[in-house]
Amino acid sequence: MNKIDDIIKRDRKIFLTTTRESYKFVADHGKGDYVYDINNKRYIDFSSFISVYNLGVNGNAEIRNAIKRQVDRLTHSAFTDYYSELPVLFGESLIKMFPSGFGRMFLSNSGTEANEAAVKFSKIFTKRPYVLSFYNGFHGRTMGSLGLTASHSVQRAHFGPFPNVIHAPYPYPYRCLFNKGDHKCGSDYIDYIKDYVFAKEADPSEIAAIVFEPIQGEGGYIVPPREFVTGIRKLASQHGITLIADEVQSGYMRTGKFLALDNFGVHADIYTMAKSIGGGLPMGATITRSSLGDIPHGSHANTFGGNHLVVAAAHASLRYLQKNRRSLESGVHRKSGKIFKRLEEMKERYGIIGDVRGMGLMIGVEFVKDRKTKERAAKEREKILDYSFNKGLLMLPCGDSSIRLIPPITIKEGALEKGLDIFEEAVKEFS
Ligand SMILES: Cc1ncc(COP(=O)(O)O)c(C=O)c1O
């Protein structure tokens, strides 16, 4: 048996099943735009290792050196119990990336924990019981965040009930639920919240938070119309509801702005981040508007939040991002333009592509069997992923029949072009 099959066999024996892809990628090392398997086969990375390496897979020397230096000083400082300066320096630096009025944060270890904290804080701030989130949304898999998640029912099966979470539809412009002549597919969704959620299920005075992804990730890389985003902002403000933007996947410059929500011209009351914020190490952050106040002593904490090794990586990553902000931003816009142009051309050539959507370098391609019926081409999507993998391109699925293209934002144009060539070859093969 070859080494790859041997490792996969041993893995399957010892670990419970998760979400591993059908293709057999056994990671060994990474260098910016490329990742290598244990046979040293090179792959172009269009996954950023699940959105964690926006600055390249293990490719940033400043982050690597900061981790190495910190290892010899102190890896953990029990930051929720004792004081220490490194996390404070990081927090002071991170808060500068947020709109004015944001002044407090809580550090954790993952996206799900950041969202749990956000919901807990909003309940403390408002003293209200209910939370509203959206279908197709993904906010994590621990019990609290799982209540918010409604992306695929298998993720929730056997785990409920999840008390006090209400779900409303999130606009999916390619498959708009409502057909009242509103071509932008936005304001009908706001009416739904008013007419059904508020009027029939929970009075807004009982709702602590509205939790949403500014661009849905796992659910299908779905970009909502602007009037939906401004609409939920307005509803939240009118009724004293805390608006929580889950930027775990969409944030950290993925769309060409530090926060994806900044593309819509409104601000949330709480932001959650994880994935790329840790520079490759596990970090979650929940960032709150100062006017919301503080939480009582002992009400919320954890063991590893503010861990020094993680913060050293996150701080180095943030310093790099701040130093190179303009060029990173313009790079995202330039590369995004090229990808969209290429994908739109592909859409004209291959009927299997139903929709191309996204912002910056957060791009989704939805596959359909028939453009008219929009029947989902889920099997073909798997084949395209597998074919691309065999040709040396690593990508991830999302939604029911879409693929996400999320290369590191630092990817060089040559690797990008080559990756798109492979992707096109795969799409052509199964069209
Ligand atoms: C938008 C969003 N929120 C939350 C999470 C959960 O993050 P984690 O897996 O770090 O708990 C994810 C993970 O994919 C995500 O994409």
Side-chain angles (χ1 to χ4, degrees):
M1 188 185 293
N2 69 40
K3 188 114 192 263
I4 286 183
D5 287 333
D6 174 54
I7 292 174
I8 291 173
K9 191 170 162 219
R10 282 161 47 215
D11 176 303
R12 289 194 176 141
K13 197 165 166 202
I14 194 91
F15 288 111
L16 288 160
T17 300
T18 59
T19 55
R20 286 202 190 89
E21 296 309 321
S22 52
Y23 52 76
K24 296 176 179 179
F25 179 64
V26 180
D28 187 75
H29 63 284
K31 274 191 182 160
D33 301 345
Y34 301 101
V35 290
Y36 297 79
D37 73 5
I38 50 161
N39 292 329
N40 213 25
K41 179 173 173 189
R42 191 177 85 165
Y43 295 84
I44 299 167
D45 176 35
F46 270 19
S47 79
S48 296
F49 267 26
I50 336 286
S51 282
V52 165
Y53 279 121
N54 280 5
L55 300 183
V57 185
N58 236 48
N60 190 293
E62 292 178 31
I63 302 174
R64 288 199 311 273
N65 290 335
I67 294 172
K68 286 178 201 160
R69 278 195 304 274
Q70 193 58 41
V71 164
D72 287 332
R73 287 179 68 83
L74 185 69
T75 54
H76 179 67
S77 75
F79 182 62
T80 60
D81 295 283
Y82 302 134
Y83 295 98
S84 104
E85 192 178 14
L86 182 61
V88 174
L89 286 170
F90 169 68
E92 287 168 347
S93 205
L94 180 63
I95 213 76
K96 292 195 184 114
M97 303 302 290
F98 285 81
S100 67
F102 279 77
R104 306 296 280 266
M105 71 179 68
F106 174 77
L107 296 180
S108 55
N109 310 282
S110 62
T112 196
E113 202 188 334
N115 285 327
E116 299 250 348
V119 169
K120 285 177 76 178
F121 299 161
S122 70
K123 288 192 172 185
I124 290 179
F125 296 144
T126 61
K127 311 282 186 297
R128 299 176 181 183
Y130 288 101
V131 178
L132 172 65
S133 64
F134 296 93
Y135 289 118
N136 262 327
F138 186 90
H139 301 285
R141 294 175 182 269
T142 52
M143 292 299 282
S145 297
L146 186 55
L148 309 172
T149 291
S151 174
H152 290 99
S153 52
V154 65
Q155 295 160 348
R156 293 165 59 93
H158 312 299
F159 300 131
F162 305 103
N164 298 359
V165 179
I166 300 161
H167 288 102
Y170 184 98
Y172 189 165
Y174 182 60
R175 298 178 184 277
C176 194
L177 265 188
F178 304 107
N179 194 10
K180 291 198 293 186
D182 172 18
H183 298 301
K184 288 188 189 137
C185 186
S187 51
D188 294 340
Y189 288 75
I190 299 298
D191 291 342
Y192 178 97
I193 295 173
K194 290 189 210 158
D195 298 345
Y196 290 90
V197 177
F198 289 177
K200 315 267 176 208
E201 198 166 353
D203 188 85
S205 65
E206 289 209 282
I207 297 180
I210 298 176
V211 187
F212 79 112
E213 292 165 88
I215 298 173
Q216 285 189 329
E218 212 271 338
Y221 275 39
I222 300 166
V223 184
R226 198 183 177 93
E227 65 264 30
F228 171 75
V229 179
T230 54
I232 52 174
R233 172 65 275 177
K234 203 164 151 199
L235 286 182
S237 301
Q238 272 169 352
H239 299 287
I241 299 169
T242 317
L243 187 64
I244 301 174
D246 177 342
E247 295 264 7
V248 167
Q249 188 159 168
S250 58
Y252 217 75
M253 217 53 117
R254 171 72 28 214
T255 64
K257 293 194 189 291
F258 188 70
L259 299 167
L261 191 55
D262 286 345
N263 294 295
F264 296 88
V266 294
H267 301 313
D269 301 309
I270 301 181
Y271 290 90
T272 60
M273 300 192 85
K275 292 195 184 277
S276 277
I277 200 179
L281 296 188
M283 173 181 276
T286 306
I287 301 99
T288 65
R289 236 180 233 288
S290 308
S291 58
L292 291 171
D294 202 353
I295 57 171
H297 183 258
S299 168
H300 190 67
N302 58 15
T303 297
F304 278 114
N307 172 275
H308 270 207
L309 194 60
V310 175
V311 169
H315 200 194
S317 176
L318 188 61
R319 272 198 307 258
Y320 181 89
L321 186 145
Q322 287 169 337
K323 238 177 7 196
N324 298 287
R325 186 168 185 171
R326 293 289 156 248
S327 66
L328 289 172
E329 277 171 0
S330 59
V332 170
H333 293 307
R334 192 180 61 253
K335 289 177 256 190
S336 173
K338 284 194 173 168
I339 301 182
F340 273 108
K341 183 168 177 290
R342 179 85 184 258
L343 293 176
E344 288 300 340
E345 286 163 8
M346 282 172 63
K347 192 175 156 191
E348 278 175 23
R349 281 199 285 276
Y350 312 112
I352 194 171
I353 297 184
D355 194 30
V356 172
R357 55 184 177 249
M359 264 188 190
L361 291 177
M362 183 168 186
I363 299 168
V365 179
E366 179 159 342
F367 297 97
V368 289
K369 292 190 181 192
D370 179 318
R371 283 223 179 123
K372 276 211 185 84
T373 62
K374 296 188 181 176
E375 186 187 345
R376 292 171 172 88
K379 284 209 180 87
E380 291 77 358
R381 184 260 307 265
E382 293 311 309
K383 287 180 185 162
I384 290 168
L385 282 172
D386 286 351
Y387 185 98
S388 303
F389 170 73
N390 288 325
K391 294 279 175 179
L393 173 67
L394 217 53
M395 292 186 298
L396 291 164
C398 61
D400 295 323
S401 66
S402 303
I403 289 179
R404 50 185 126 177
L405 277 61
I406 39 167
I409 62 172
T410 48
I411 192 167
K412 295 193 192 54
E413 316 253 342
L416 192 62
E417 292 286 336
K418 178 83 184 92
L420 288 170
D421 289 346
I422 296 174
F423 183 56
E424 174 154 10
E425 198 184 310
V427 171
K428 188 174 174 192
E429 183 76 17
F430 298 103
S431 285

